[in-house]
Amino acid sequence: NKKKEQYKNLEETRNIQYIDYVVTPSEADRKATQDEVAASSIELEKASAADCVSIIRSSKSSIPYIDIPLTKNAFPGDIAARLDSAKVGEVYGPFYSQFDDSYNAIKILSEQMAPDSIEFRQMQVMGATLDATKKLADSIATALKNGADFEQLARKYNQTGASQWISSRMYEGQQLDMNSMKLVNALNTLAVKGVQNIDFGQFNVVLQVVNRKAMTTKYRVAVVKVPIKFSDETYNEAYNKINQFLAANQDYDSLVKNAEDNGYRLLAREGFASNEHVVGGVEGSHEALRWVFGADVKSVSPLYSCGRENEHLMIVALSGINKEGYRPMEQVE
């Protein structure tokens, strides 16, 4: 009685027992992924940078090819750790990575020393026609190469010409379009005071590098990283098996009694509240949650497919309802 307030339910809750079976890749799935990456690595051996885009896309790699020089920080740890061991122009792998349960192959297309931080200024040029734009941009670039003052020239065309800094981490890991890659490639290759006229299609940009700092090794790398996933066959086999188990154990007592003998771990949770949004912390289990708070005691739910890739197969049984107010003495003791 002295500690009575500690045993008060501020809202109605549920006690549940549930099976959360996670479908995992079979040995056949693992072997198939290894063989696929091995085939992609053979294609990479003779591939140019242009070919790498289609090879990596068809391999279903989780890392797209980006045709700009990148620091090690742009790659996952398991890939970055192998860049020093790999030789330019050769394929390293296939190799298994426990880091993310994947098979991998990499090909370093180029390696260079480049600045990590670059100060630059740019001028956007647009004429009445594409030809006029090109001619104007060429004349501005030529003037700058011959020593013209960038800011004075920029003001002539109603632009500030102010400089700005960019570092590798500002674009590494980002989705870059073709124009952005053109800009980054130019910045990584131009020397201080170097000028480049870049054609962006509808307009041109005249670029000048002002300063470069923190020289570091940068790589152009084609990465085939394929996480090992379960196949449709593996999933269907697991789904059919648990569905058959549910069909044979549709009442509460049977489910609880036979779960472990059929290879399913039964989890228990008391005081489950509706504001938790999901069951067992599993993403996408909202339907199971709705069932819990609309079901009768000692009833068993349908089979739910949950998780980001429906890899969680879930069955829930409602073992009790805790009314709002003080919990019964037999529950507390």
Side-chain angles (χ1 to χ4, degrees):
N1 284 330
K2 288 180 181 178
K3 298 184 180 293
K4 189 175 180 180
E5 296 304 317
Q6 293 182 17
Y7 306 107
K8 186 176 183 180
N9 292 325
L10 299 179
E11 60 179 328
E12 188 173 279
T13 61
R14 300 289 191 270
N15 298 336
I16 61 173
Q17 297 203 63
Y18 64 100
I19 294 169
D20 177 20
Y21 181 79
V22 182
V23 182
T24 57
S26 65
E27 286 305 313
D29 296 334
R30 292 180 172 276
K31 180 65 167 58
T33 303
Q34 184 180 17
D35 291 345
E36 288 166 7
V37 173
S40 296
S41 68
I42 293 172
E43 292 184 63
L44 280 178
E45 287 177 358
K46 300 177 182 179
S48 64
D51 297 329
C52 286
V53 177
S54 60
I55 292 171
I56 290 172
R57 187 182 295 119
S58 64
S59 74
K60 299 178 183 177
S61 173
S62 60
I63 301 178
Y65 176 67
I66 302 176
D67 193 23
I68 57 174
L70 302 166
T71 67
K72 285 184 179 181
N73 297 330
F75 303 97
D78 57 337
I79 300 298
R82 289 169 168 84
L83 291 178
D84 290 335
S85 303
K87 295 180 180 179
V88 176
E90 295 182 4
V91 175
Y92 184 100
F95 62 89
Y96 171 73
S97 175
Q98 193 173 5
F99 174 75
D100 57 0
D101 196 25
S102 65
Y103 279 104
N104 305 263
I106 61 176
K107 181 178 182 179
I108 300 179
L109 299 167
S110 67
E111 181 179 328
Q112 67 186 85
M113 292 300 293
D116 185 61
S117 298
I118 304 162
E119 184 184 11
F120 70 101
R121 47 197 177 191
Q122 60 184 336
M123 201 184 310
Q124 185 170 313
V125 182
M126 184 177 292
T129 64
L130 292 179
D131 188 55
T133 297
K134 185 180 182 307
K135 288 181 180 178
L136 179 57
D138 284 340
S139 67
I140 291 173
T142 300
L144 291 171
K145 290 175 182 177
N146 290 331
D149 184 273
F150 194 100
E151 291 186 12
Q152 287 183 2
L153 206 53
R155 284 195 291 271
K156 180 180 177 181
Y157 297 101
N158 300 314
Q159 298 179 54
T160 66
S163 65
Q164 57 186 304
W165 282 93
I166 186 172
S167 64
S168 302
R169 64 182 179 184
M170 292 171 68
Y171 57 82
E172 289 180 344
Q174 305 297 318
Q175 293 288 336
L176 302 179
D177 58 23
M178 291 299 295
N179 286 346
S180 298
M181 286 193 278
K182 285 181 182 180
L183 183 67
V184 170
N185 276 320
L187 290 173
N188 276 281
T189 53
L190 284 173
V192 174
K193 294 185 179 179
V195 175
Q196 186 167 332
N197 173 20
I198 308 174
D199 185 353
F200 283 167
Q202 297 301 313
F203 63 96
N204 281 41
V205 166
V206 178
L207 187 73
Q208 184 181 60
V209 169
V210 178
N211 199 359
R212 292 155 41 111
K213 289 184 179 179
M215 298 298 288
T216 188
T217 305
K218 292 188 177 182
Y219 308 85
R220 274 187 174 85
V221 188
V223 180
V224 174
K225 172 177 278 295
V226 184
I228 301 169
K229 297 182 178 181
F230 53 79
S231 62
D232 290 343
E233 292 79 6
T234 298
Y235 183 85
N236 291 336
E237 182 181 346
Y239 186 92
N240 291 335
K241 182 181 175 183
I242 194 171
N243 207 25
Q244 289 170 8
F245 165 75
L246 176 60
N249 298 274
Q250 291 195 324
D251 64 277
Y252 178 88
D253 292 333
S254 296
L255 183 84
V256 172
K257 179 183 177 182
N258 298 321
E260 291 195 6
D261 288 344
N262 283 269
Y264 300 112
R265 185 183 175 198
L266 199 62
L267 303 168
R269 173 67 197 280
E270 293 189 353
F272 182 65
S274 60
N275 62 8
E276 296 183 46
H277 303 300
V278 293
V279 178
V282 179
E283 183 179 347
S285 57
H286 313 296
E287 289 296 324
L289 175 72
R290 277 194 282 271
W291 179 89
V292 168
F293 285 88
D296 296 326
V297 176
K298 302 296 183 181
S299 57
V300 176
S301 77
L303 176 61
Y304 295 106
S305 298
C306 316
R308 189 164 294 180
E309 297 181 354
N310 287 333
E311 70 278 17
H312 290 260
L313 300 176
M314 183 177 290
I315 302 170
V316 187
L318 184 61
S319 53
I321 297 176
N322 307 306
K323 298 292 185 181
E324 184 179 349
Y326 296 105
R327 282 194 272 166
M329 186 64 182
E330 61 271 14
Q331 207 178 79
V332 172
E333 62 187 12

